[in-house]
Amino acid sequence: MKANPATDRIIRKMQPGVLTRDGFLGEDDRSLKELTDSDDFAVRKMELTHSGIANRIEYLAEVGRKGYGTPMLYMGAYEITVEEVKGRIACPWGRCGTFQKGTVKIHNVNTDMTIVTTPLGIHMIREHGFYQGKGSPYRLDPYTLRWTLW
Ligand SMILES: [Zn+2]
């Protein structure tokens, strides 16, 4: 496959210790395109969209933010914990601005499924259709997202 300098630069920034301690790819050895194509397929198959998923996480995070780090129960079904940490982080794609550090944890009481993401993670879903590599601490599997968020 022909090397793509822009993609190479993004991949370099996704390595552990560059933007984050653990990086974004985990032990996933698929190419960035294979990875995003595969997740895109899974998302479409469930009749969801990247922006729809990002909007839903942001909506629930907004509710959770009112707890200032303590879990908030929403509609008796979602336990949401938002922890903000000092500092900001850039997106590996670049030119996207920076994002508040911290985590958003959403536990669905009914399905007993949980996701943990970050403001950057939400941005990467929305703008880049990127759910991070398998084994990455913030990997968001589309199936888990489906059964946590709805
Ligand atoms: Zn970006």
Side-chain angles (χ1 to χ4, degrees):
M1 204 201 321
K2 219 173 148 207
N4 177 336
T7 305
D8 288 350
R9 184 175 49 81
I10 295 164
I11 296 284
R12 266 199 307 277
K13 288 189 182 174
M14 288 183 174
Q15 300 308 307
V18 181
L19 290 174
T20 65
R21 188 191 63 191
D22 298 307
F24 300 91
L25 294 167
E27 62 253 10
D28 212 312
D29 53 13
R30 292 173 293 173
S31 74
L32 188 56
K33 186 170 182 340
E34 285 171 325
L35 209 168
T36 50
D37 280 355
S38 158
D39 285 333
D40 185 58
F41 180 77
V43 166
R44 285 165 191 272
K45 209 172 157 193
M46 292 184 290
E47 298 183 344
L48 299 175
T49 62
H50 304 308
S51 62
I53 290 169
N55 287 345
R56 182 67 174 163
I57 300 171
E58 269 175 357
Y59 179 78
L60 295 172
E62 205 45 53
V63 174
R65 211 159 271 131
K66 298 182 182 108
Y68 296 99
T70 61
M72 295 287 287
L73 189 66
Y74 176 62
M75 297 190 54
Y78 305 94
E79 204 179 72
I80 312 155
T81 314
V82 176
E83 289 186 79
E84 284 179 349
V85 177
K86 251 196 160 71
R88 300 184 72 82
I89 182 169
C91 171
W93 270 263
R95 300 195 182 120
C96 300
T98 60
F99 302 85
Q100 176 73 46
K101 287 188 177 179
T103 56
V104 177
K105 180 178 172 185
I106 301 169
H107 173 68
N108 186 312
V109 177
N110 297 321
T111 62
D112 198 26
M113 290 179 99
T114 303
I115 62 150
V116 181
T117 185
T118 65
L120 173 60
I122 299 167
H123 160 80
M124 290 193 296
I125 290 176
R126 181 189 303 284
E127 296 300 327
H128 310 294
F130 179 61
Y131 294 77
Q132 310 194 33
K134 284 182 182 160
S136 166
Y138 295 110
R139 159 78 185 158
L140 291 168
D141 166 67
Y143 179 85
T144 308
L145 281 166
R146 163 67 184 89
W147 293 107
T148 305
L149 297 176
W150 285 280

